[in-house]
Amino acid sequence: MISFVISIGVLVLGYFTYGKFVETIFAPDPKRETPALRLNDEVDFIPLPTWRIFLIQFLNIAGLGPIFGAIAGAMYGPSAFLWIVLGSIFAGAVHDYFSGMLSVRHDGLSISEIVGIYLGPKMKHLMRYFTIVLLIFVGTVFLMGPAKIIDGMTNGYWNIWVWVAIILAYYILSTLLPIDKLISKLYPLFGIAMILMSLGLFGALMFGDYHIPEIVPANLVNMTADPEETPLFPILFVTIACGAISGFHATQSPLMARCMKNEKLGRKIFYGTMVTEGVVALIWAAVAMVFFGNVNGLNEMMAAHGNNAAWAANEISVNMLGQVGGLLALLGIVAAPITSGDTAFRSARLILSDIFKSNQRKIRNRLLISVPLFVVAFVLTLVDFGIIWRYFAWSNQTLATVVLWTITAYLMDAKKAYWVTLLPAIFMSMVCSTYILIAPEGFQLDNTLAYIGGGFITLFITGLFLWYKLGPSYRTGKVLAEKG
């Protein structure tokens, strides 16, 4: 219990200390006119109140991640606490802040365009396709995931495809309508519900007869049922993504970068929402470790139910919070992924509009871009959900890694403290390269070979980056400090 409470305290303290340090490095200019004011188109570029932006950004980045990912990560034991805290403060929140603020500085551009500015046109073209594929994966995952949850909650009252159709209809509306017509109206309500659900679980932990395992050396081991099959490194660092660091966040930040009235709001909106998500992930990880007795009990129950985190989340909410918990579970566990799915499609639309220079004021232009996205997503719903989820998890962390390298390039150009993103970029490169070598959906190499291979790949990526930035290939096209 002590370690859990300290972990929350450290996360909050990180916002006021390291978050302030990161903000100082970027140096936001409160007098600089933001894209929301300069480029207001009454569709995507619209000034919104800060509290609305905070809640929209929180729900955009949250989704199923801090709930499902935290429950799955809790199967490893208290090591999950360390990754959530350290990952959120030193990697995830830094990633979110800089990606959001770079979008603000570059007229609300999508993340793929920003990657192109700092890593060159070849990376821009690669990341355009990669990001759109990732967003379609997200939209598909958050289309089928909520539909399965609702179908389970209603005991199959309707066919699951009815729920898919209803959610898809909502996605179409939220993708096409101006951001202040639907998203800004619903998100605050759902955001408050999710926060209340988390606070209710926190209160149940504090006042109930639960014994949360402490962060001590004896507990910092792989507590999963088969440690050899699911090694702590790198699996844990991909399993808990949105609760620590997630590339998906970088696709969402430009949405809010187009709505901010002042650059000084960046730390609250981008760094602050990541820390808030980290707190939510900590609560869910702790609850998962104690609700079924202990970590071993969690592993046994998850195995018995096909490692279905949705089932575990529903059981926890209803049993720990009662009837109110059931309602909050419906709003939090169902609405959260839906509110990430719709903005995934919206982000994909904006990326494609940036690519084709398509003015989004006209509904016709929005339809031309959006319809193919929904057709592809619907086709993907016919593919096994588990396969989509696994590839989404890896591609999500890979995008985060590329964004960290991009921010490092920006900081080097601006002659600022680039180590704040260089170190997590190197670490996440090792995570992603090792994961694809070791995972079932990857090359399935022996653990030792995967670690050696991941190390070589990480050294190669780091060397290639430094050669590009510091070597003769770094030409006159570099971005100067006045752009940021």
Side-chain angles (χ1 to χ4, degrees):
M1 181 70 78
I2 295 174
S3 298
F4 169 65
V5 174
I6 291 176
S7 295
I8 291 180
V10 171
L11 257 181
V12 175
L13 184 64
Y15 169 79
F16 291 102
T17 54
Y18 200 70
K20 181 64 177 177
F21 172 67
V22 168
E23 180 185 49
T24 302
I25 292 173
F26 183 82
D29 182 1
K31 297 180 181 179
R32 190 167 183 155
E33 194 174 31
T34 63
L37 301 173
R38 188 174 65 257
L39 304 172
N40 190 340
D41 65 359
E42 299 183 349
V43 177
D44 299 306
F45 292 87
I46 299 178
L48 293 177
T50 304
W51 67 273
R52 284 188 184 275
I53 298 176
F54 181 92
L55 288 172
I56 293 171
Q57 175 71 2
F58 172 62
L59 275 177
N60 282 355
I61 68 175
L64 295 170
I67 301 175
F68 287 14
I71 292 173
M75 296 167 71
Y76 286 85
S79 298
F81 292 153
L82 285 181
W83 171 230
I84 291 170
V85 173
L86 299 178
S88 293
I89 294 173
F90 297 108
V94 176
H95 164 281
D96 289 11
Y97 177 78
F98 278 112
S99 61
M101 293 308 295
L102 284 176
S103 182
V104 172
R105 284 285 173 91
H106 292 286
D107 296 335
L109 280 180
S110 304
I111 190 60
S112 57
E113 308 307 296
I114 293 171
V115 169
I117 292 172
Y118 295 101
L119 294 184
K122 291 182 180 179
M123 279 300 296
K124 176 174 72 174
H125 295 312
L126 175 63
M127 292 312 296
R128 279 174 170 176
Y129 297 118
F130 186 88
T131 305
I132 290 170
V133 170
L134 172 65
L135 288 169
I136 293 175
F137 275 171
V138 172
T140 305
V141 166
F142 291 160
L143 175 61
M144 290 302 296
K148 288 176 179 289
I149 296 171
I150 299 174
D151 188 55
M153 287 180 170
T154 57
N155 295 316
Y157 181 75
W158 282 351
N159 186 286
I160 189 172
W161 293 105
V162 173
W163 296 114
V164 168
I166 292 172
I167 295 171
L168 186 60
Y170 166 74
Y171 282 177
I172 293 171
L173 288 174
S174 61
T175 301
L176 296 176
L177 291 175
I179 198 166
D180 64 334
K181 300 303 181 186
L182 188 60
I183 289 177
S184 72
K185 298 290 193 300
L186 293 178
Y187 276 40
L189 297 175
F190 293 147
I192 291 170
M194 190 171 184
I195 291 173
L196 287 176
M197 177 176 60
S198 301
L199 289 175
L201 292 172
F202 178 76
L205 286 173
M206 291 297 98
F207 299 106
D209 186 22
Y210 298 107
H211 303 284
I212 303 171
E214 302 292 346
I215 302 175
V216 295
N219 286 335
L220 295 180
V221 295
N222 189 337
M223 295 185 176
T224 58
D226 190 351
E228 184 68 20
E229 187 71 20
T230 55
L232 192 148
F233 184 90
I235 306 297
L236 173 65
F237 300 91
V238 175
T239 300
I240 300 180
C242 291
I245 180 171
S246 166
F248 175 64
H249 296 186
T251 69
Q252 301 303 289
S253 294
L255 296 179
M256 295 300 96
R258 300 178 185 211
C259 299
M260 286 169 49
K261 298 177 183 178
N262 192 307
E263 283 193 359
K264 289 292 287 183
L265 299 173
R267 179 161 68 103
K268 182 182 295 182
I269 291 168
F270 300 121
Y271 202 101
T273 51
M274 180 64 244
V275 167
T276 304
E277 185 176 18
V279 171
V280 172
L282 275 176
I283 292 171
W284 275 97
V287 166
M289 290 182 201
V290 301
F291 179 77
F292 300 103
N294 51 36
V295 177
N296 289 335
L298 169 64
N299 276 279
E300 291 172 3
M301 293 303 293
M302 287 289 282
H305 289 83
N307 289 320
N308 186 350
W311 169 83
N314 188 52
E315 286 291 305
I316 290 169
S317 299
V318 172
N319 285 281
M320 291 187 72
L321 298 177
Q323 292 182 343
V324 174
L327 176 60
L328 291 175
L330 182 64
L331 291 175
I333 299 173
V334 175
I338 290 177
T339 53
S340 288
D342 61 2
T343 49
F345 287 116
R346 192 180 188 93
S347 297
R349 172 175 68 79
L350 293 177
I351 291 173
L352 288 170
S353 70
D354 286 343
I355 293 173
F356 295 112
K357 310 299 182 188
S358 172
N359 189 315
Q360 294 296 284
R361 282 181 181 270
K362 297 180 180 179
I363 187 69
R364 176 178 173 273
N365 292 345
R366 282 174 259 162
L367 276 169
L368 286 174
I369 291 176
S370 301
V371 169
L373 294 173
F374 290 117
V375 171
V376 173
F378 181 77
V379 171
L380 286 175
T381 61
L382 306 177
V383 178
D384 179 56
F385 179 79
I387 294 175
I388 298 292
W389 178 264
R390 288 197 298 271
Y391 280 107
F392 155 67
W394 176 78
S395 57
N396 180 44
Q397 295 302 67
T398 300
L399 176 59
T401 305
V402 173
V403 173
L404 286 171
W405 284 116
T406 301
I407 300 166
T408 304
Y410 153 74
L411 292 172
M412 292 177 75
D413 288 344
K415 301 187 185 306
K416 296 182 178 182
Y418 61 85
W419 59 266
V420 297
T421 51
L422 175 63
L423 295 179
I426 293 172
F427 177 77
M428 290 305 298
S429 295
M430 183 67 181
V431 167
C432 293
S433 56
T434 306
Y435 182 88
I436 201 63
L437 294 176
I438 209 171
E441 60 271 19
F443 293 94
Q444 303 181 42
L445 296 182
D446 172 79
N447 290 4
T448 302
L449 287 177
Y451 295 143
I452 294 172
F456 276 115
I457 293 173
T458 302
L459 286 174
F460 175 77
I461 292 171
T462 305
L464 185 64
F465 173 82
L466 294 176
W467 176 79
Y468 172 73
K469 294 303 296 180
L470 304 177
S473 65
Y474 186 43
R475 301 179 178 87
T476 56
K478 74 174 184 176
V479 179
L480 299 177
E482 57 261 26
K483 249 301 188 188

